[in-house]
Amino acid sequence: MMFVHSSGRDGYKMYRSPELSEDPEEIPRDTLLKLLHEEEKRRFSKEYLERCDDTRRDICDEAGYLRETEDLQFEVVEDAGYSPEKISRVVDAMRTAHIRFPDDEEIRNASVYVRENRAFEGDIVQGQTLPEITLYDLKQKAVQLRDLASESRVTVIVASSQS
């Protein structure tokens, strides 16, 4: 089990699989920057956006666009000439470049995930009155957060994203 307290925007500890031979520390900053720029170029391409749209239309495949993004990242690294046994490690290095270079604005701005991430930890504190928020259950029925909570029981709010 892994507990991650943030979206990754501010950093997190990562499990590094021992079978991956490429250490992200060995991938130079300038190489990462080139890979991130290429990923961004492809992510905003008409072809990629159409692939995501096609995947989102499949009602049985809610996370398909995440696979499309992962495939795109692997393609970027493969096209850069990395061997198959190193591709996963280099993709991991791209995804975590903003953690390796936390004060590097150029890296942070080149990473689409970091730059476009709108997640934050929030400012709700224990004991605070719940805000009026509309949520949707699994059947897409709108419910109010306050209606789900009760003064007589503990309410725990856990929010996350598939990505």
Side-chain angles (χ1 to χ4, degrees):
M1 179 194 262
M2 178 173 54
F3 173 73
V4 179
H5 73 278
S6 79
S7 68
R9 176 183 278 285
D10 296 318
Y12 52 88
K13 293 187 180 188
M14 299 174 298
Y15 167 76
R16 297 215 182 278
S17 179
E19 71 269 8
L20 298 173
S21 59
E22 188 76 28
D23 183 341
E25 301 298 324
E26 295 175 10
I27 301 170
R29 174 200 176 276
D30 290 343
T31 300
L32 283 172
L33 196 56
K34 287 177 187 174
L35 292 168
L36 291 169
H37 284 304
E38 181 60 26
E39 176 190 8
E40 176 172 29
K41 178 177 141 190
R42 293 185 190 192
R43 272 203 194 203
F44 292 104
S45 71
K46 182 178 179 183
E47 176 189 1
Y48 170 75
L49 295 173
E50 286 175 353
R51 281 171 35 192
C52 287
D53 283 344
D54 290 345
T55 303
R56 284 187 181 118
R57 285 187 193 104
D58 184 350
I59 195 144
C60 297
D61 191 8
E62 291 180 15
Y65 74 96
L66 294 174
R67 279 191 307 284
E68 292 294 340
T69 300
E70 182 175 56
D71 290 348
L72 178 136
Q73 291 170 330
F74 276 74
E75 290 165 12
V76 166
V77 173
E78 184 178 28
D79 291 350
Y82 283 90
S83 61
E85 63 273 2
K86 292 187 175 186
I87 290 175
S88 290
R89 177 42 100 217
V90 178
V91 168
D92 182 52
M94 288 171 56
R95 292 175 179 169
T96 59
H98 65 287
I99 296 167
R100 183 171 158 213
F101 301 100
D103 299 323
D104 189 324
E105 283 301 311
E106 193 173 16
I107 289 283
R108 291 183 71 79
N109 288 328
S111 175
V112 175
Y113 170 75
V114 174
R115 188 184 66 238
E116 302 299 330
N117 187 348
R118 301 298 180 245
F120 64 97
E121 289 190 33
D123 54 8
I124 296 175
V125 296
Q126 184 176 345
Q128 178 180 345
T129 301
L130 290 174
E132 194 60 43
I133 297 175
T134 302
L135 304 171
Y136 295 89
D137 67 14
L138 295 175
K139 295 179 181 177
Q140 299 301 311
K141 179 184 170 200
V143 294
Q144 296 301 310
L145 178 60
R146 287 185 186 168
D147 294 340
L148 298 174
S150 167
E151 292 282 334
S152 63
R153 65 177 193 231
V154 174
T155 302
V156 177
I157 301 172
V158 178
S160 70
S161 166
Q162 288 181 323
S163 62

